[in-house]
Amino acid sequence: MLLGEAGTHRIEGWHQGMVQAVSSRPDHSLRMGVIGVGVMGSNHARVLSGLPDVRLVAVVDPDIAHRDFVTRALDCRGLDDLESLIAAGVDAVTIAAPTHLHHDLALACINRGIHVLVEKPIASSVEEGHSIIRAANRAGVTLMVGHVERFNPAVRAIKEAVRGEDILSIAITRVGPFPPRMSNVGVVIDLAVHDIDLIRWFTESEIVEVQPQLSSAVAEREDIALLQFRTASGVLAHINTNWLTPFKARTIHVATRKKYIIGDLLTRQVTECFGFQPDGSYSMRHLSVGHDEPLRAELMAFVSAIRNGTRAPVTGEEAVASLDIAIRCLQRQEVTTVSPRKGPRRVAV
Ligand SMILES: NC(=O)c1ccc[n+]([C@@H]2O[C@H](COP(=O)([O-])OP(=O)(O)OC[C@H]3O[C@@H](n4cnc5c(N)ncnc54)[C@H](O)[C@@H]3O)[C@@H](O)[C@H]2O)c1
């Protein structure tokens, strides 16, 4: 099973080490479960099983093949429904089931006092997202959303480089081939929502204008999106995303008044141009970038927020704001389908 957007490793190959790690957990470990162990959830399970002071109690998935694959690799229990996981006793869960199930699964856990990290996007709609936030506030549990790119060391280096700078523009490219299995969302909800979150996070400002261009060249849903934004602070940003590129590319360019920063999220190389001179010359330097696995850093941050009772580093409110912008991009226009055989047609989104 290959990793999703967030990861860089295969789940195979670490079975032995994980078995030892799980069996040596001390009793005060945080008891955790993973709900949905497909592409993303299997990685949650792998990472959680190796975290200090965390005990992966069980994973839940109605798909026997997915469940067995993970339970065999990690030597943890596999359950076929959420109620069995709750009965087994967990302090916290991560939810990586399909997005349309996030709301009901999150509420079922939150209402039992269980801390929740739910994968991005937080839910299928803004209303569902707000309902999850309200439930978490009522129950007093930690709610975090898996916008894992914030934990990518290259992204963190860019965030550091722009801290206190006057950001002028942001250009993000996130392209690649079609995923092996198509879900019921297009590139805006699946991919661009990562970058909408990054634009809001870098600028610390809300997006107030969206100008989307969408097209459905091959898939039913939009598979090309060129999205332009303006933030309340006046930053112009754009996202170029598609599933039509034969290779993956993930780049971020940020222009500030004094710097130009270029980051490659895959090679994790971040370069800063600075010291602009009237003759057009300037200096360049490579910024130091860490080596953490983003998902491990994200899950450690979730555990730390639970243990210390601190604010989750990616809150439900932030995730809903990003989902809201993504949905606005879809609502602003119809998708144009380009088909050489059938000719252009319009489909409602
Ligand atoms: N943060 C990221 O970079 C990233 C990357 C990929 C996916 N995701 C998100 O993760 C979620 C899952 O995506 P995926 O690509 O792993 O999908 P997937 O289809 O590979 O996995 C989903 C799993 O959930 C299981 N499932 C279905 N109903 C369930 C239920 N009621 N209870 C428990 N499990 C159930 C399915 O059997 C499947 O194994 C989505 O919300 C997606 O947006 C995030």
Side-chain angles (χ1 to χ4, degrees), residues 133-213:
I133 295 168
R134 277 195 304 273
N137 288 343
R138 263 197 315 270
V141 299
T142 299
L143 170 66
M144 180 165 160
V145 183
H147 281 282
V148 70
E149 284 291 37
R150 291 215 204 166
F151 299 89
N152 182 319
V155 170
R156 293 190 95 83
I158 296 169
K159 174 76 176 163
E160 272 313 302
V162 301
R163 197 178 293 282
E165 294 288 324
D166 184 7
I167 301 177
L168 303 175
S169 76
I170 301 174
I172 305 185
T173 299
R174 183 179 297 269
V175 296
F178 276 95
R181 283 176 302 112
M182 288 303 299
S183 66
N184 56 355
V185 295
V187 286
V188 172
I189 298 292
D190 196 45
L191 299 183
V193 78
H194 283 291
D195 304 311
I196 291 169
D197 177 66
L198 293 184
I199 290 165
R200 296 180 54 261
W201 191 49
F202 287 148
T203 60
E204 296 175 9
S205 180
E206 289 306 326
I207 290 170
V208 291
E209 255 183 67
V210 303
Q211 289 180 333
Q213 290 292 338

Side-chain angles (χ1 to χ4, degrees), residues 4-286:
E5 178 70 9
T8 51
H9 306 280
R10 282 174 174 270
I11 196 168
E12 301 94 336
W14 31 263
H15 180 190
Q16 202 56 43
M18 292 306 115
V19 172
Q20 286 159 5
V22 169
S23 59
S24 62
R25 294 276 177 260
D27 281 337
H28 63 272
S29 293
L30 195 72
R31 293 173 61 83
M32 295 190 66
V34 178
I35 303 169
V37 281
V39 174
M40 200 61 199
S42 60
N43 286 292
H44 281 229
R46 169 181 59 80
V47 170
L48 286 175
S49 70
L51 286 191
D53 297 334
V54 167
R55 171 145 183 231
L56 178 62
V57 174
V59 299
V60 180
D61 199 308
D63 185 310
I64 297 174
H66 286 182
R67 201 169 68 221
D68 284 357
F69 180 77
V70 172
T71 54
R72 269 201 307 273
L74 298 174
D75 197 26
C76 67
R77 288 175 72 190
L79 304 168
D80 58 9
D81 67 24
L82 177 57
E83 285 308 314
S84 311
L85 178 68
I86 293 172
V90 280
D91 304 305
V93 294
T94 69
I95 299 176
T99 303
H100 69 274
L101 300 176
H102 287 183
H103 175 261
D104 289 0
L105 292 170
L107 255 60
C109 296
I110 289 168
N111 290 339
R112 309 286 181 84
I114 297 167
H115 305 284
V116 166
L117 181 143
V118 59
E119 261 304 335
K120 68 84 208 160
I122 181 169
S124 299
S125 69
V126 167
E127 293 71 27
E128 283 188 357
H130 283 307
S131 155
I132 296 174
I133 295 168
R134 277 195 304 273
N137 288 343
R138 263 197 315 270
V141 299
T142 299
L143 170 66
M144 180 165 160
V145 183
H147 281 282
V148 70
E149 284 291 37
R150 291 215 204 166
F151 299 89
N152 182 319
V155 170
R156 293 190 95 83
I158 296 169
K159 174 76 176 163
E160 272 313 302
V162 301
R163 197 178 293 282
E165 294 288 324
D166 184 7
I167 301 177
L168 303 175
S169 76
I170 301 174
I172 305 185
T173 299
R174 183 179 297 269
V175 296
F178 276 95
R181 283 176 302 112
M182 288 303 299
S183 66
N184 56 355
V185 295
V187 286
V188 172
I189 298 292
D190 196 45
L191 299 183
V193 78
H194 283 291
D195 304 311
I196 291 169
D197 177 66
L198 293 184
I199 290 165
R200 296 180 54 261
W201 191 49
F202 287 148
T203 60
E204 296 175 9
S205 180
E206 289 306 326
I207 290 170
V208 291
E209 255 183 67
V210 303
Q211 289 180 333
Q213 290 292 338
L214 310 178
S215 180
S216 170
V218 177
E220 278 294 308
R221 298 273 168 170
E222 81 286 353
D223 47 23
I224 308 176
L226 299 173
L227 311 173
Q228 298 196 114
F229 306 99
R230 181 188 294 273
T231 67
S233 58
V235 175
L236 298 185
H238 78 249
I239 297 171
N240 165 21
T241 187
N242 68 52
W243 279 323
L244 305 173
T245 310
F247 52 87
K248 263 190 175 185
R250 309 273 185 266
T251 59
I252 300 180
H253 289 212
V254 184
T256 76
R257 210 162 280 285
K258 294 191 193 139
K259 297 177 179 176
Y260 192 87
I261 298 137
I262 305 156
D264 186 321
L265 307 193
L266 299 182
T267 63
R268 297 197 180 162
Q269 208 171 63
V270 181
T271 308
E272 182 178 83
C273 307
F274 61 101
F276 305 122
Q277 301 300 322
D279 65 0
S281 64
Y282 57 89
S283 306
M284 279 177 94
R285 64 180 159 224
H286 291 303

